[in-house]
Amino acid sequence: MKKTFFAIILPIILIESICSQTIVKELLTENLIDPVGLDISIPRFTWILQNEKRGITQTAYEIEVESNDTFAWRSGRVLSDSSVLVAYKGLPLKSNTLYFWRVRVQDNRGYISDWSLPGSFRTGFLQPSDWKAQWITPTLEEDTVNRPSPYLRKTFQTKKEIRSAVLYATSHGMYEAYLNGRRVGDAHYTPGWTSYHKRLQYQAYDVTGLLQQNNTIAVMLASGWYRGTLGWSNKNNHYGRHIALLIQLEIEYTDGTRERVISDPSWRSSTGKIIYSEIYNGEKIDLRLEKEGWMFPEYDDSQWAYVKKTNFDTAKLVATYNEPVRQQEIFKPAAIFNTPKGEQIIDFGQNLAGWIRMKVKGKSGDMITLSHAEVLDKEGNFHTANLRAAKAQCTYILKDTNKVILHPHFTWHGFRYVKIEGYPGEIKPENFEAVALYSDMEPTGSFTSSHPLINRLQSNIKWGQKGNFLDIPTDCPQRDERLGWTGDIQVFVPTAVFNMRVHNFLTKWLRDLEADQLITGEVPNYIPDLGSNVNRAAWGDAATIVPWTLYKTYGDKRILHQQYGSMKAYVKSITNVTHDGLWDKGVTFGDWLAYSPEEGERKTPGTNKNIITQAYYANSLRIMMNTAKVLNIPDDEIYYTNLLEQAKKAFHTAFINEKGDLISPSQTAYSIALEFGMIPYHLEKQAAARLVELIDDFGHFTTGFLATSPLPHILLKYGYGDLAYKLLEREEYPSWLYPITMGATTFWERWNAIKPDGSFQTQKPQSNSFNHYAHGAVGDFLYRKVAGLDIAPDKDAVGYKHNLIKPFPGGSLKHARAILKTYYGTVGSSWKLDGKQMEMTVEVPVNTRATVYLPSTTPENITEGGKPVNTSTEINILGQEEDKYTVIQIGSGKYQFKIQRL
Ligand code: RAM
């Protein structure tokens, strides 16, 4: 790429720029590093600017995109401070083509950066007609009970020197592809789960390094989500009865000529070692049945069966937008022991989703069974009743006396403990590993504090996310469910966006939400849908809450554009059945799994379900109003503003009595009503006081999935910070920390999954997941309030362009720290109490600013870097607020404040 730009101003800045050059790095295309297989015609570019100096912003950028030594786009100098999601504006992109791009910027001091190192992206198939391959399915007579995994293979030759080779693949069912015995890519459970009848993802892999002169493509298939057992009623074949494969290998030789290898009837099929594979139940592998050498060209497949052509509309094929599921953390055994019942158990110390990798040496016919469980029971025995119908078992039959390393391929388990049966010889720790598998999203956030149990809470929240963000956001990873429950993700999404970059993961899921929405706009309870009920209040609202949260977190307007039709349709499906603005026929799961007293314990007051439905309806109207504003659709904005007013009035009339109280005196009712602004302004303080009374009355929260996470936010807002911290630090049941005192390493579905006496809850023993992330929604409070790392409220602040740093120290905490990697770079907020002094460390990325709340109204009592804050030219004092704070505005850089508090 040539340097042609900014020639005139360059000399002026040269001298100073050497010592304080802004560096451009970490180029992302559609939020990914060098993606392969994008089918977006206008991809967006993001880059990070680095400069140790303070107050640096971008004033202009220049982008160049090229392919095959030809420019596809030269933006020229664009006066703009945008460095996030900048849309490509060049020539129409070509299919299956590698593009490189680079960027340089001018900063607010007039300096111009060097060109960045190039980023790249490879387009996938931009038109359905680019697909030349044929869908194929094995013709083997099928064992319909066990459904062993079919193998498919094809041998071919390449003729010349190869410049590049890209393999495009997808399937009905799951696939793993190999080229000459080597695994293609490192993704698991491909092609992922989407609304298969409407959208099927394909993957693209750069396989240039895997090809030789004689080649074999070998593919293993499995039932997966497509036709495996799914849902809790033991049903299978949700999308079809036959699994099938589509493969297209695009080869480009160095002389510019091209060749293509495709799936077609010339392929052959058989079966091999995987004699059974189901997501819930696990896998059976009989090594004696493996077709040795089948992945290599020399193998003789003349005895293999033919394949036949099947059909599937290529217009429904879409490139993969989310990060693949990959193998992540590896755990070694924490303990190996025998239970009172004599079961041989390994404890891996962490509840996770994944599988076991086992080394074993035995003799032909030895059968080893690994069963998985999340917990031991009170007596210390292996407990699987909560897995319901999921067998969660892997069985291996050995072939000979060679040492082998074994793991399953198309299943995963939610587990911490493994029961081992039939292992030849002693169970030694070095022969077993637990491998966590989840979508490979960038870890973006961390939270730490002086409170060890709260730190464990943060870890448990993260592990809940890791265990359940496996291609779709599932409710749980262990039992016969693992579905994309809408209510769970809508409460958890504000926390999820801190822990990991969930941008593409949830964007992909929202496409499926829209695809599965009924024609009337109603939203199924879980996505992808298998025929569930629709429009449960607070569940269907994922349709509005998730895109809005992604917009705010990532500054992504396109997600609002893309989802607008879906969001509107959902809200309309409710408006259509309201009366004078009241959604009184709504159905909801309510404040799901709220604290529910055991026999003999004090009952909690009930909540009128319409309080929940109406508050959620109003919240979705507010999101619509704000979205219409962002998208500049004034008619819609007025329409939703009016509907919102009407909905609020209807709420007041129906649910607030003459004393100004809610008709349901429950924590749930007050929490949700206050959270969604349903209480008239003049009654808000009274409502907050009622909520406090209700909490004090019980001494703890009595809420569930919906109303618990808003509680500490509300308490802080209305001046009850002490109570917020009391709830946060509480260790007795029910509380956030209670499960930790009982040894939990992930969040439980129910507050009382394990009771204080060590026994399991008996209200619904079969629904007792130990890895449900919904209650982990308190994580957002840790980041935003305890550490004080937030987005400022103004409309241009989205994506952390304008940060808000406002910590709320409290309880027994002596320090807290949060950092978050945004698209601009790392934002950091930490504080530390030292007697009457408080230290605050703030990190603001280049090209952003921050408003910081320093807890003293006397600027003279505040220093930064040892100097009085009111003498600094880099700090702009905005004023005093809430009789408590000096509010300042700062640009990028690292700042160290010391505040003398009275
Ligand atoms: C359960 C799921 C999920 C919840 C629904 C209502 O089966 O586990 O967490 O959203 O029910």
Side-chain angles (χ1 to χ4, degrees):
M1 296 189 110
K2 298 174 207 96
K3 286 195 185 189
T4 48
F5 195 67
F6 288 139
I8 315 151
I9 23 179
L10 206 60
I12 317 169
I13 54 91
L14 210 58
I15 305 157
E16 223 188 315
S17 67
I18 293 165
C19 33
S20 58
Q21 184 69 273
T22 296
I23 296 167
V24 189
K25 51 176 211 168
E26 296 184 42
L27 273 52
L28 300 178
T29 310
E30 281 302 318
N31 323 317
L32 301 168
I33 301 169
D34 301 340
V36 177
L38 270 189
D39 64 356
I40 291 172
S41 53
I42 305 179
R44 294 162 302 169
F45 303 126
T46 297
W47 55 90
I48 284 185
L49 304 178
Q50 199 182 39
N51 196 320
E52 295 303 309
K53 286 212 150 202
R54 286 181 174 174
I56 306 295
T57 54
Q58 175 189 296
T59 54
Y61 66 78
E62 182 189 8
I63 297 175
E64 288 182 351
V65 182
E66 67 164 33
S67 176
N68 286 328
D69 294 330
T70 316
F71 282 114
W73 185 36
R74 296 171 86 185
S75 70
R77 181 174 179 235
V78 181
L79 288 177
S80 164
D81 68 347
S82 298
S83 54
V84 169
L85 296 167
V86 174
Y88 172 77
K89 288 200 189 75
L91 298 171
L93 297 175
K94 295 189 197 125
S95 287
N96 185 33
T97 303
L98 181 60
Y99 291 87
F100 289 96
W101 68 280
R102 63 179 188 168
V103 55
R104 62 178 171 173
V105 302
Q106 185 170 10
D107 67 29
N108 53 336
R109 301 160 313 155
Y111 306 149
I112 293 150
S113 73
D114 281 339
W115 285 105
S116 66
L117 291 173
S120 72
F121 62 98
R122 179 180 276 279
T123 51
F125 293 152
L126 302 174
Q127 287 86 32
S129 57
D130 293 326
W131 281 104
K132 308 294 177 204
Q134 297 167 4
W135 277 95
I136 51 173
T137 189
T139 58
L140 296 165
E141 200 172 313
E142 210 186 16
D143 162 0
T144 48
V145 178
N146 291 309
R147 291 181 148 175
S149 272
Y151 285 1
L152 289 91
R153 76 187 293 278
K154 163 85 185 172
T155 295
F156 64 95
Q157 279 77 41
T158 56
K159 302 187 184 74
K160 300 175 234 176
E161 205 189 321
I162 294 165
R163 178 183 292 156
S164 74
V166 182
L167 184 92
Y168 293 89
T170 188
S171 58
H172 286 164
M174 289 175 185
Y175 74 87
E176 267 183 21
Y178 295 79
L179 254 171
N180 304 318
R182 283 163 69 192
R183 178 98 146 78
V184 173
D186 54 3
H188 292 276
Y189 315 119
T190 47
W193 192 7
T194 50
S195 173
Y196 289 139
H197 291 315
K198 294 172 188 143
R199 292 170 14 89
L200 174 61
Q201 297 197 133
Y202 63 85
Q203 286 73 43
Y205 308 92
D206 186 336
V207 293
T208 316
L210 297 184
L211 286 181
Q212 50 203 38
Q213 217 177 355
N214 289 322
N215 301 282
T216 296
I217 309 181
V219 180
M220 303 194 296
L221 291 177
S223 299
W225 294 284
Y226 187 82
R227 69 166 195 184
T229 304
L230 269 190
W232 44 91
S233 47
N234 228 351
K235 270 206 214 141
N236 58 8
N237 298 336
H238 287 278
Y239 295 94
R241 292 170 56 81
H242 301 290
I243 46 181
L245 175 71
L246 183 74
I247 280 208
Q248 186 161 320
L249 172 63
E250 298 277 348
I251 303 169
E252 191 188 338
Y253 294 115
T254 46
D255 65 4
T257 57
R258 288 169 184 273
E259 183 153 339
R260 189 176 280 145
V261 180
I262 57 169
S263 50
D264 64 16
S266 68
W267 287 52
R268 291 288 178 274
S269 72
S270 185
T271 52
K273 65 180 178 185
I274 304 180
I275 56 175
Y276 176 87
S277 181
E278 281 280 349
I279 293 173
Y280 294 159
N281 291 341
E283 224 158 81
K284 280 191 189 143
I285 294 183
D286 187 341
L287 296 176
R288 297 169 305 182
L289 299 179
E290 184 60 333
K291 303 278 189 308
E292 290 308 328
W294 75 280
M295 293 185 178
F296 297 93
E298 305 74 43
Y299 183 81
D300 174 11
D301 62 14
S302 54
Q303 300 304 310
W304 282 35
Y306 289 96
V307 298
K308 65 174 187 233
K309 260 168 57 175
T310 62
N311 227 335
F312 182 75
D313 186 359
T314 41
K316 292 178 181 164
L317 297 179
V318 291
T320 302
Y321 194 64
N322 59 332
E323 297 83 352
V325 175
R326 290 200 171 100
Q327 297 186 24
Q328 311 279 354
E329 292 90 340
I330 290 175
F331 289 85
K332 299 275 177 205
I336 300 177
F337 55 90
N338 280 6
T339 65
K341 279 192 186 162
E343 303 145 319
Q344 281 202 301
I345 305 290
I346 300 181
D347 172 7
F348 286 94
Q350 174 63 54
N351 197 13
L352 57 91
W355 63 41
I356 296 292
R357 194 156 46 208
M358 170 180 74
K359 284 187 207 148
V360 59
K361 197 167 159 23
K363 51 182 191 319
S364 183
D366 279 354
M367 188 167 95
I368 306 133
T369 301
L370 305 182
S371 308
H372 302 74
E374 293 183 290
V375 286
L376 304 178
D377 66 16
K378 194 178 172 185
E379 286 71 43
N381 292 315
F382 198 66
H383 179 77
T384 55
N386 68 322
L387 306 183
R388 301 195 303 221
K391 291 202 177 57
Q393 232 173 36
C394 285
T395 303
Y396 302 97
I397 302 171
L398 304 185
K399 181 184 175 190
D400 49 36
T401 54
N402 287 334
K403 188 168 196 170
V404 277
I405 300 176
L406 298 168
H407 62 79
H409 294 260
F410 302 108
T411 185
W412 72 92
H413 317 288
F415 70 99
R416 168 176 166 169
Y417 300 93
V418 172
K419 179 171 84 177
I420 302 170
E421 290 165 296
Y423 189 83
E426 197 190 333
I427 295 173
K428 291 190 183 148
E430 60 268 29
N431 291 328
F432 295 87
E433 290 175 334
V435 183
L437 284 125
Y438 52 88
S439 290
D440 195 16
M441 297 161 289
E442 164 111 19
T444 45
S446 76
F447 172 89
T448 49
S449 74
S450 56
H451 196 303
L453 291 190
I454 293 179
N455 295 345
R456 182 72 231 189
L457 173 73
Q458 165 66 10
S459 165
N460 288 11
I461 295 169
K462 275 197 177 171
W463 273 100
Q465 186 164 348
K466 291 174 179 181
N468 284 294
F469 276 44
L470 196 149
D471 202 56
I472 63 155
T474 58
D475 57 332
C476 56
Q478 73 298 84
R479 66 186 180 211
D480 54 347
E481 194 152 357
R482 314 186 201 185
L483 301 173
W485 279 94
T486 47
D488 303 40
I489 188 61
Q490 76 80 5
V491 298
F492 188 66
V493 67
T495 300
V497 293
F498 274 107
N499 290 331
M500 298 177 190
R501 184 166 292 154
V502 297
H503 194 170
N504 290 23
F505 177 85
L506 289 176
T507 298
K508 170 244 182 195
W509 182 78
L510 284 170
R511 304 310 298 154
D512 293 304
L513 183 145
E514 179 173 25
D516 279 346
Q517 239 168 314
L518 306 192
I519 200 106
T520 45
E522 287 152 302
V523 175
N525 292 338
Y526 50 80
I527 303 293
D529 183 33
L530 303 173
S532 57
N533 292 322
V534 293
N535 266 29
R536 296 284 194 260
W539 269 250
D541 296 85
T544 54
I545 292 172
V546 177
W548 183 251
T549 309
L550 295 184
Y551 162 69
K552 279 204 322 202
T553 309
Y554 302 114
D556 181 0
K557 247 193 204 182
R558 190 183 280 177
I559 189 78
L560 294 181
H561 272 292
Q562 266 178 8
Q563 293 301 126
Y564 196 58
S566 151
M567 296 162 81
K568 250 179 119 159
Y570 167 64
V571 172
K572 185 158 186 278
S573 72
I574 300 170
T575 306
N576 282 346
V577 293
T578 54
H579 301 276
D580 301 322
L582 188 70
W583 188 22
D584 53 358
K585 292 211 172 54
V587 188
T588 179
F589 294 107
D591 194 9
W592 186 243
L593 303 186
Y595 162 76
S596 83
E598 297 270 326
E599 211 160 318
E601 284 173 342
R602 184 175 161 203
K603 285 221 160 27
T604 50
T607 305
N608 182 319
K609 78 166 171 45
N610 288 338
I611 291 183
I612 298 174
T613 58
Q614 186 69 2
Y616 265 92
Y617 170 51
N619 180 56
S620 277
L621 288 171
R622 185 176 298 108
I623 292 175
M624 292 313 295
M625 176 183 82
N626 291 332
T627 303
K629 191 173 187 162
V630 173
L631 299 182
N632 197 14
I633 313 173
D635 287 353
D636 282 9
E637 192 188 334
I638 295 168
Y639 172 73
Y640 290 115
T641 309
N642 292 338
L643 280 183
L644 174 60
E645 277 318 302
Q646 205 192 7
K648 278 164 70 174
K649 269 205 201 103
F651 185 95
H652 305 163
T653 316
F655 309 122
I656 298 181
N657 63 23
E658 60 293 347
K659 287 198 215 125
D661 292 330
L662 286 174
I663 58 163
S664 296
S666 72
Q667 293 182 22
T668 292
Y670 279 101
S671 167
I672 288 176
L674 281 163
E675 157 85 346
F676 292 140
M678 303 309 289
I679 309 282
Y681 185 61
H682 68 283
L683 292 174
E684 270 186 28
K685 278 193 175 160
Q686 175 179 328
R690 289 280 173 277
L691 176 62
V692 170
E693 278 165 28
L694 289 163
I695 297 172
D696 282 344
D697 197 14
F698 276 85
H700 56 76
F701 56 61
T702 58
T703 42
F705 272 31
L706 306 182
T708 308
S709 57
L711 281 179
H713 290 279
I714 295 168
L715 294 174
L716 270 194
K717 181 172 170 191
Y718 294 101
Y720 302 99
D722 286 351
L723 184 55
Y725 270 95
K726 203 174 139 197
L727 292 184
L728 182 63
E729 294 191 75
R730 181 184 159 89
E731 295 178 23
E732 300 77 30
Y733 164 72
S735 69
W736 288 295
L737 298 186
Y738 165 70
I740 294 168
T741 67
M742 300 301 284
T745 58
T746 40
F747 243 109
W748 301 340
E749 180 177 23
R750 291 162 188 270
W751 296 121
N752 61 346
I754 300 176
K755 295 195 287 186
D757 69 1
S759 64
F760 298 120
Q761 56 85 16
T762 48
Q763 284 140 332
K764 209 172 173 197
Q766 70 279 23
S767 288
N768 211 20
S769 153
F770 293 89
N771 198 355
H772 249 64
Y773 57 62
H775 286 313
V778 64
D780 158 74
F781 180 76
L782 302 180
Y783 281 104
R784 287 207 290 133
K785 299 293 165 55
V786 177
L789 194 164
D790 206 347
I791 306 171
D794 54 292
K795 77 170 179 23
D796 299 324
V798 292
Y800 293 89
K801 180 80 174 142
H802 179 186
N803 304 286
L804 175 69
I805 305 293
K806 189 178 182 184
F808 291 89
S812 70
L813 271 67
K814 293 283 169 278
H815 62 81
R817 173 169 189 258
I819 54 172
L820 177 69
K821 186 158 186 209
T822 70
Y823 284 140
Y824 294 98
T826 300
V827 190
S829 171
S830 71
W831 56 262
K832 192 167 150 205
L833 298 179
D834 189 359
K836 279 199 175 310
Q837 182 173 282
M838 174 161 158
E839 265 180 50
M840 276 173 69
T841 309
V842 179
E843 188 175 349
V844 185
V846 175
N847 207 23
T848 72
R849 64 197 163 102
T851 298
V852 184
Y853 282 68
L854 303 164
S856 165
T857 47
T858 327
E860 292 74 32
N861 288 346
I862 308 170
T863 59
E864 192 287 310
K867 297 194 196 93
V869 77
N870 47 5
T871 60
S872 169
T873 50
E874 292 160 336
I875 295 169
N876 183 9
I877 300 182
L878 300 177
Q880 275 68 41
E881 269 187 39
E882 301 170 38
D883 290 334
K884 220 159 95 196
Y885 297 105
T886 294
V887 185
I888 60 162
Q889 177 101 228
I890 50 176
S892 66
K894 287 191 181 135
Y895 300 80
Q896 191 97 39
F897 300 99
K898 283 201 171 132
I899 304 122
Q900 295 303 328
R901 300 196 305 167
L902 297 175

